[in-house]
Amino acid sequence: MDLPLIYHPDYVVPLPIGHRFPMAKFKNLYDCLLRDGVATIEQFHQPDRPPSPWIELIHDSDYVNAYCTGTLDAKAQRRIGLPWSPALVNRTCTAVGGTILTAQLALKTGLACNTAGGTHHAFPAHGSGFCIFNDLAIAARYLQQIGLVHKVLIVDLDVHQGDGTAFIFQNDESVFTFSMHCEINFPGTKQKSDLDVPLRAGMEDDEYLQTLDRYLPDLLTHVKPDLVLYDAGIDPHLDDRLGKLNLTDTGLYRREMQVLTTCLSLGCPVACVIGGGYSEDMNALVYRHSLLHRAASNVYRQYRL
Ligand SMILES: [Zn+2]
């Protein structure tokens, strides 16, 4: 089996013209992977929309119901930052299904990548920062519930702290949350992950990668997870509108290789989601997200998974 990739056409829904969330990137990423020969069409798996009880393993049923029926109050809706529509509800749930499927396939093959996911600012009873339901948390909990995993490590390298995920698992030893993020970036109020590594603004490739290397191998040895869920946000890039770190494309590619080889060399399966990335230049943005899938393809071959 080739490296499993996960995509659904419903990952993209219309937003008002000029909206600052780059919604088109998911379809553009899918097209880019095929066009550049990173993947073939046979490698793509299409997720189903998960039933509400799966989402309610993490989220309050009142919140799930209010969001899905469009009855969330205006303040809660503004905090999410995406205009509500029935299509967005479907997109939100399907993307959660995508991360669940990614995790299931990663357990079978050792490595799998979604072309969406990483909604780490979602809390049990509210959304925030373009995040509505926390796909990482739901996937971890669902796989635990059906007995496929006991211990999960969430490696969150998006430039913003994974505050929702940290909050959800703050008293839960079965899910270890690791967030390496820019210390002065959103969210203003940080939560407590099991391991937070706040970085100073402006950090460049070498120092970033050395910092990661100081923590990740020991963490894997110490936590001994059955599965790593990896949020590969590319917003630490120097051209990112919401970033504040100074990584290059090469630095991001080196990061993906470092994370994936470190995990796989220790025999730990990895399910990847793309996380945040915000740039005016859509082509550059999509290429940057594709670095994850390019690295994963190389590592997958290298380890003959
Ligand atoms: Zn982010």
Side-chain angles (χ1 to χ4, degrees):
M1 189 172 178
D2 287 331
L3 171 70
L5 301 171
I6 290 77
Y7 175 74
H8 197 296
D10 292 350
Y11 279 0
V12 177
V13 296
L15 289 181
I17 291 168
H19 194 283
R20 68 191 189 122
F21 186 80
M23 181 63 83
K25 72 181 183 179
F26 305 102
K27 162 86 163 63
N28 293 344
L29 174 59
Y30 170 76
D31 290 342
C32 165
L33 294 173
L34 290 173
R35 187 187 59 235
D36 288 0
V38 180
T40 61
I41 197 103
E42 292 76 23
Q43 280 173 257
F44 282 94
H45 300 253
Q46 193 163 300
D48 294 322
R49 180 173 166 169
S52 292
W54 298 10
I55 296 170
E56 291 167 11
L57 291 170
I58 295 297
H59 295 282
D60 293 2
S61 56
D62 288 350
Y63 169 58
V64 174
N65 188 50
Y67 185 73
C68 290
T69 55
T71 54
L72 212 55
D73 68 61
K75 192 174 162 214
Q77 193 55 61
R78 267 198 308 279
R79 194 167 180 185
I80 289 169
L82 294 167
W84 187 89
S85 68
L88 188 65
V89 173
N90 183 55
R91 187 250 176 242
T92 299
C93 296
T94 303
V96 169
T99 298
I100 292 171
L101 180 58
T102 306
Q104 287 171 317
L105 289 168
L107 287 173
K108 277 192 188 137
T109 64
L111 182 58
C113 300
N114 200 354
T115 52
T119 39
H120 59 170
H121 299 309
F123 284 70
H126 69 86
S128 172
F130 307 136
C131 299
I132 297 154
F133 299 142
N134 194 313
D135 61 320
L136 297 159
I138 295 166
R141 185 62 88 228
Y142 175 70
L143 291 192
Q144 284 180 327
Q145 204 192 41
I146 61 173
L148 286 181
V149 297
H150 296 290
K151 188 105 192 196
V152 177
L153 169 63
I154 298 178
V155 174
D156 189 336
L157 300 187
D158 190 282
V159 82
H160 305 100
Q161 194 210 24
D163 56 341
T165 322
F167 179 86
I168 288 164
F169 295 119
Q170 59 188 330
N171 297 315
D172 185 336
E173 291 195 353
S174 70
V175 180
F176 192 102
T177 55
F178 166 44
S179 178
M180 199 166 100
H181 49 266
C182 178
E183 61 186 354
I184 60 161
N185 216 323
F186 177 91
T189 304
K190 306 283 190 289
Q191 300 296 322
K192 196 172 175 343
S193 309
D194 292 303
L195 176 61
D196 283 301
V197 179
L199 307 174
R200 63 170 179 80
M203 188 178 275
E204 297 182 1
D205 290 349
D206 286 344
E207 191 181 356
Y208 180 95
L209 295 169
Q210 283 157 14
T211 306
L212 179 60
D213 193 47
R214 257 205 308 282
Y215 293 101
L216 185 60
D218 286 350
L219 207 48
L220 286 158
T221 312
H222 168 73
V223 176
K224 297 187 181 61
D226 301 310
L227 175 69
V228 168
L229 294 176
Y230 173 39
D231 183 334
I234 54 157
D235 41 16
H237 193 274
L238 61 93
D239 289 338
D240 198 273
R241 284 191 295 121
L242 306 180
K244 303 189 200 298
L245 295 185
N246 282 350
L247 268 61
T248 64
D249 285 358
T250 306
L252 285 171
Y253 184 76
R254 287 169 59 200
R255 181 188 74 171
E256 314 313 16
M257 291 298 289
Q258 189 172 319
V259 169
L260 299 177
T261 53
T262 302
C263 294
L264 292 174
S265 66
L266 292 168
C268 185
V270 191
C272 309
V273 299
I274 69 168
Y278 310 92
S279 170
E280 304 292 344
D281 183 339
M282 178 58 79
N283 287 336
L285 179 69
V286 165
Y287 174 72
R288 239 168 262 154
H289 276 302
S290 79
L291 294 170
L292 170 68
H293 309 79
R294 291 171 201 268
S297 297
N298 281 348
V299 171
Y300 195 86
R301 276 195 295 272
Q302 199 178 315
Y303 281 82
R304 291 195 176 83
L305 294 170

